[in-house]
């Protein structure tokens, strides 16, 4: 049984007038779709992608436990996702977009992102970043998994953005897509090795607190193996003390803010 997937699919369908409308717009047989809703069957990969694209979610999200998936769809999907996909590159000249897309294929995939949390001094924040090709653009989603507050459930913050490679630097610009209260920019050193493993750079954003203090922190992206499932990848995300033994000491050294720009990258000879 695929209970979490079925519950998540039923939640997404609830934003439409009827199941029949969803089936008609997806061009999926109603009887087959009912099997997905019941949890008895999971769609084939190509059908799963069609369903996720229609609702504006990612495959790894729709497979999340239902209690984790609910906060991600608090807003109506068609109202929340469509504008983000239609306005991925506001104000960027077409010639710059064309140039920035070149050479991005080797960076597609999922990463764990590490940096010193802007609102939690002394804590390391690990997030999940997934870069994918959508049409001609390289878009990405960044998911934060924050610990529960006052005995409540853990919460997820989700950011969507675009990535460009311009003159030996990777530029990532995203916005917080649930509440719309933040835009962040990340600039990374590219990799010149045959296999992309780690990328380092700087992130500019604001602290998620009442002060909303502008912050700039060092950041490291660690490439995840394709064999790592979405649940395992998300399970790693969260806040860690700087001295947590589960953290790679080299990652901690790379994101400390007392290192000169670029110094750690070249000193450690990471790509």
């Amino acid at each position: 049984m695929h209970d979490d997937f079925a519950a998540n699919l039923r939640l997404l369908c609830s934003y439409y007038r009827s199941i029949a409308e969803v089936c008609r717009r997806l061009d999926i047989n109603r009887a087959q779709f009912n099997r997905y809703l019941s949890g008895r069957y999971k769609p084939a990969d190509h059908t799963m992608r069609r369903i996720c694209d229609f609702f504006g979610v990612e495959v790894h999200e729709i497979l999340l436990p239902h209690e984790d998936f609910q906060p991600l769809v608090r807003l109506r999907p068609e109202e929340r996702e469509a504008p983000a996909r239609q306005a991925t590159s506001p104000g960027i000249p077409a010639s710059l977009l064309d140039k920035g897309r070149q050479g991005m294929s080797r960076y597609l995939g999922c990463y764990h992102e590490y940096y010193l949390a802007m609102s939690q001094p002394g804590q390391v924040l690990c997030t999940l970043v997934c870069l994918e090709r959508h049409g001609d653009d390289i878009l990405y989603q960044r998911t934060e998994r924050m610990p529960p507050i006052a005995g409540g459930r853990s919460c997820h913050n989700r950011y969507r953005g675009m990535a460009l490679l311009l003159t030996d630097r990777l530029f990532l610009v995203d916005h917080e897509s649930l509440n719309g209260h933040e835009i962040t920019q990340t600039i990374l050193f590219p990799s010149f090795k045959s296999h992309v493993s780690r990328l380092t750079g700087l992130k500019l954003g604001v602290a998620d607190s009442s002060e909303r203090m502008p912050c700039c922190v060092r950041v490291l992206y660690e490439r995840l193996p394709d064999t790592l499932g979405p649940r395992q990848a998300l399970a790693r995300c969260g806040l860690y003390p700087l001295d947590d033994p589960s953290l790679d000491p080299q990652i901690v050294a790379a994101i400390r803010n007392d290192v000169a720009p670029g110094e750690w990258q070249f000193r450690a000879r990471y790509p």
Side-chain angles (χ1 to χ4, degrees), residues 49-122:
R49 173 52 63 189
R50 283 174 54 202
I51 291 172
C52 290
D53 287 346
F54 174 75
F55 287 115
V57 298
E58 303 296 336
V59 172
H60 72 268
E61 292 175 339
I62 204 170
L63 298 176
L64 286 171
H66 188 58
E67 62 271 17
D68 292 335
F69 184 74
Q70 286 176 297
L72 300 182
V73 291
R74 287 180 297 181
L75 303 179
R76 187 176 175 89
E78 63 269 32
E79 294 175 352
R80 175 166 52 85
E81 302 296 347
R85 294 192 181 277
Q86 293 170 3
T88 55
S89 54
I92 301 179
S95 59
L96 192 61
L97 288 174
D98 291 339
K99 180 181 178 183
R101 294 165 183 147
Q102 299 175 23
M104 282 296 301
S105 295
R106 64 195 307 266
Y107 297 102
L108 299 181
C110 293
Y111 299 78
H112 275 148
E113 174 195 47
Y114 296 90
Y115 60 93
L116 293 180
M118 298 178 182
S119 59
Q120 300 286 337

Side-chain angles (χ1 to χ4, degrees), residues 11 15 69-77 80 155-158 176-179:
L11 175 61
Y15 290 101
F69 184 74
Q70 286 176 297
L72 300 182
V73 291
R74 287 180 297 181
L75 303 179
R76 187 176 175 89
R80 175 166 52 85
C155 66
H156 291 76
N157 294 322
R158 185 167 62 176
E176 201 280 322
S177 63
L178 291 178
N179 301 306

Side-chain angles (χ1 to χ4, degrees), residues 114-116 124 218-220 242 250-257:
Y114 296 90
Y115 60 93
L116 293 180
V124 176
R218 304 192 182 280
V219 64
L220 182 143
L242 266 171
Q250 290 186 323
I251 291 178
V252 175
I255 62 175
R256 284 186 178 276
N257 288 335

Side-chain angles (χ1 to χ4, degrees), residues 31 74 78 89 120 131 138 193-195 216 224 243:
R74 287 180 297 181
E78 63 269 32
S89 54
Q120 300 286 337
L131 280 78
I138 305 300
K193 292 187 176 181
S194 58
H195 175 70
C216 184
L224 302 181
D243 58 355

